[in-house]
Amino acid sequence: MIAFIKDFIAKKGIWVGLSLLISRLSAFLLSVFVARILSKEDFGAATFGLNFLTIFLAFSGFGAAQGVVKYGSSIADSLQKHLLFRYAFSYGLIYNFILTIIMLLVSCILYWGDFSKIYLIFLFSIRFLGMYLVEQKKAEYRAELDNQSFARFDIFLSVVSFILGVGCTYFWQLNGFIFSLCISPFFLFFYDRRLSFSLKKITFDDFKSKEFWRFSWTTAMTTQIGELVFILDIFFIGLLMQQQDVAYYKVSSMIPMNILVLGFIFMQTEYPKLCQHHRDKKYQYRFIFNYWKLFSVVGILILAVGLFFDKPILSIFGNQYQNTEIYRILLFAAVISLIFRVLFVYMLASIGKTVWNLIISLFMLFATSLSLYLIIPEYGLEGVSYVTFVCLALSGIFPAFAYFYESKKI
């Protein structure tokens, strides 16, 4: 395990960890600030809009960023690598505009009688474009195996988003918060102005463009559905309950779900290297074993601290958020997801078997939607938390079985 940690540090994993920590911490602190400044109704409305955007966000650019990381990290020739960056960015931008139109049409169909929700989603379409540009730039840094530049870029945007969010919310309440969310991604142009657009068809030496897009949209679809499973609870609470219930559940889940950043730190650092070693079963199995050793200890520590200090932790959001029952259930769910789901979703992608992630995510999407629809009217928020617990457990265990089945063929 010591060698595992040293290798992580050598790959500038500390920088990746620092960037994700600052990103999650700034988002968390901003949420705490906003929850205290805004009313429950306004905070719930903003949370609803962000969650609706998240439904489409993972699929932005039809997954061009996913393909850049997967294929760009294995291209040795610098010219070919940068041709891939330009090609993916250009076509991904067109696909992103198409997806924006689809998003707006869906919002009109679902919320035809509620103009305020349609208007909010229309505003967030600005953020949708900005986040596409940000994710493409991040993918290019990762494909270059330049974790330090990736981390610095991420830290810059996180700090800008936090400062802008606090300032705008303080002075202009809900409108200021929405404005900060929409405009903050475009601060990337203060960091790196380089954008290269060209629709010229390019032939790559190691793969075909059809293969690139097949992997990209499959991975994006899987990521999107996986994100849907994570936010279905908020979506159905907003649909079947009150806005203040959305705010309460959001606060209870915020810390447990942010625990997953610890696993993402390792997986985002190692993923390009795992793609390079996608045919080396010993390398991959050794990584899994070391990951489990490390995060079993981390998971125990999280539960010990999180359960013992549950009330003081929730009290930072305000005195109105004091019930710890839902928080405790979701804390256990997050630890299980940290050990299984975070690991094996990436492992399947590294060996090119994202179709398993897609199948599992589709099944979990259907099962979770049906369960929430049936359980919320009878059991309320407590029922939602138990459904989330089972969902996160199964969405980690199923990919684990799929990975070990597929890895036998390596």
Side-chain angles (χ1 to χ4, degrees):
M1 189 167 69
I2 300 299
F4 178 66
I5 296 174
K6 286 183 177 179
D7 184 60
F8 167 78
I9 295 172
K11 295 187 178 78
K12 305 296 183 182
I14 297 297
W15 273 99
V16 176
L18 182 63
S19 72
L20 286 174
L21 178 63
I22 292 175
S23 174
R24 293 301 177 95
L25 183 61
S26 61
F28 171 75
L29 292 176
L30 180 59
S31 295
V32 172
F33 178 80
V34 171
R36 285 178 170 271
I37 293 293
L38 300 183
S39 66
K40 275 189 176 182
E41 289 74 17
D42 283 347
F43 184 56
T47 300
F48 167 81
L50 283 173
N51 275 277
F52 187 90
L53 182 66
T54 303
I55 294 174
F56 295 87
L57 196 58
F59 205 49
S60 66
F62 281 20
Q66 306 280 1
V68 166
V69 177
K70 166 68 175 174
Y71 292 95
S73 60
S74 58
I75 295 177
D77 181 70
S78 179
L79 177 60
Q80 280 271 302
K81 192 187 291 279
H82 285 90
L83 285 175
L84 172 64
F85 294 169
R86 185 174 65 183
Y87 169 80
F89 170 79
S90 303
Y91 281 90
L93 184 62
I94 294 174
Y95 297 149
N96 199 69
F97 280 120
I98 294 172
L99 193 61
T100 301
I101 295 172
I102 295 173
M103 180 177 71
L104 295 175
L105 289 175
V106 169
S107 70
C108 290
I109 294 171
L110 290 178
Y111 308 112
W112 182 253
D114 193 340
F115 178 76
S116 62
K117 288 184 176 179
I118 297 174
Y119 179 67
L120 183 61
I121 294 167
F122 174 78
L123 291 177
F124 277 140
S125 66
I126 301 172
R127 178 175 174 81
F128 191 58
L129 171 60
M131 291 304 298
Y132 167 76
L133 301 176
V134 168
E135 291 306 313
Q136 285 299 116
K137 184 59 65 176
K138 287 182 181 179
E140 291 175 9
Y141 285 133
R142 293 182 66 199
E144 294 273 15
L145 303 181
D146 189 355
N147 285 324
Q148 187 168 333
S149 294
F150 160 78
R152 286 177 172 173
F153 176 63
D154 197 39
I155 290 170
F156 169 76
L157 286 181
S158 297
V159 173
V160 166
S161 298
F162 175 74
I163 294 173
L164 196 63
V166 169
C168 291
T169 305
Y170 181 80
F171 287 106
W172 299 298
Q173 302 293 304
L174 178 61
N175 289 334
F177 181 51
I178 293 171
F179 173 79
S180 70
L181 291 172
C182 292
I183 203 68
S184 56
F186 294 95
F187 273 74
L188 74 93
F189 292 113
F190 288 95
Y191 189 92
D192 189 341
R193 294 189 180 91
R194 292 173 298 173
L195 290 177
S196 182
F197 185 86
S198 173
L199 296 179
K200 181 181 178 181
K201 292 290 185 180
I202 301 172
T203 302
F204 300 101
D205 296 335
D206 301 325
F207 58 90
K208 295 180 179 180
S209 57
K210 287 183 179 179
E211 180 185 347
F212 172 86
W213 287 111
R214 184 167 58 249
F215 175 87
S216 297
W217 77 259
T218 302
T219 306
M221 180 71 77
T222 303
T223 304
Q224 183 188 33
I225 294 173
E227 290 292 336
L228 273 175
V229 172
F230 270 94
I231 66 170
L232 276 175
D233 45 12
I234 296 290
F235 177 79
F236 275 95
I237 292 170
L239 188 66
L240 302 175
M241 301 179 74
Q242 302 298 316
Q243 294 284 26
Q244 54 264 36
D245 294 312
V246 175
Y248 179 79
Y249 191 87
K250 176 68 175 179
V251 165
S252 299
S253 65
M254 199 175 298
I255 290 178
M257 293 303 105
N258 273 288
I259 286 169
L260 302 182
V261 71
L262 298 173
F264 291 139
I265 289 171
F266 271 81
M267 297 313 299
Q268 286 204 25
T269 302
E270 294 287 345
Y271 179 66
K273 203 70 176 179
L274 286 168
C275 291
Q276 287 185 336
H277 291 271
H278 65 282
R279 295 189 181 277
D280 188 344
K281 185 160 59 176
K282 288 184 179 180
Y283 180 93
Q284 295 221 338
Y285 279 13
R286 186 167 59 250
F287 177 85
I288 292 170
F289 179 66
N290 285 317
Y291 181 96
W292 271 346
K293 284 197 299 183
L294 177 61
F295 282 97
S296 294
V297 175
V298 171
I300 293 171
L301 291 175
I302 288 171
L303 289 175
V305 174
L307 295 176
F308 187 78
F309 296 102
D310 52 359
K311 288 187 177 180
I313 288 172
L314 283 180
S315 67
I316 64 177
F317 294 98
N319 294 327
Q320 66 269 43
Y321 304 107
Q322 288 292 309
N323 193 326
T324 62
E325 187 172 2
I326 293 172
Y327 160 81
R328 285 170 165 261
I329 296 169
L330 295 179
L331 190 66
F332 277 100
V335 170
I336 294 174
S337 184
L338 177 66
I339 294 173
F340 288 98
R341 187 182 186 276
V342 173
L343 172 63
F344 286 105
V345 166
Y346 275 96
M347 296 305 299
L348 280 169
S350 72
I351 61 174
K353 299 298 180 181
T354 53
V355 66
W356 277 109
N357 285 332
L358 180 58
I359 293 170
I360 293 167
S361 296
L362 283 169
F363 171 75
M364 294 309 305
L365 179 67
F366 172 76
T368 305
S369 299
L370 181 62
S371 300
L372 288 172
Y373 183 77
L374 296 175
I375 284 174
I376 285 178
E378 185 70 24
Y379 298 100
L381 294 181
E382 185 178 346
V384 175
S385 63
Y386 280 110
V387 170
T388 302
F389 176 87
V390 174
C391 165
L392 290 181
L394 292 180
S395 63
I397 293 171
F398 288 159
F401 279 111
Y403 172 80
F404 286 116
Y405 169 77
E406 290 291 349
S407 65
K408 293 177 182 179
K409 305 174 185 178
I410 297 177

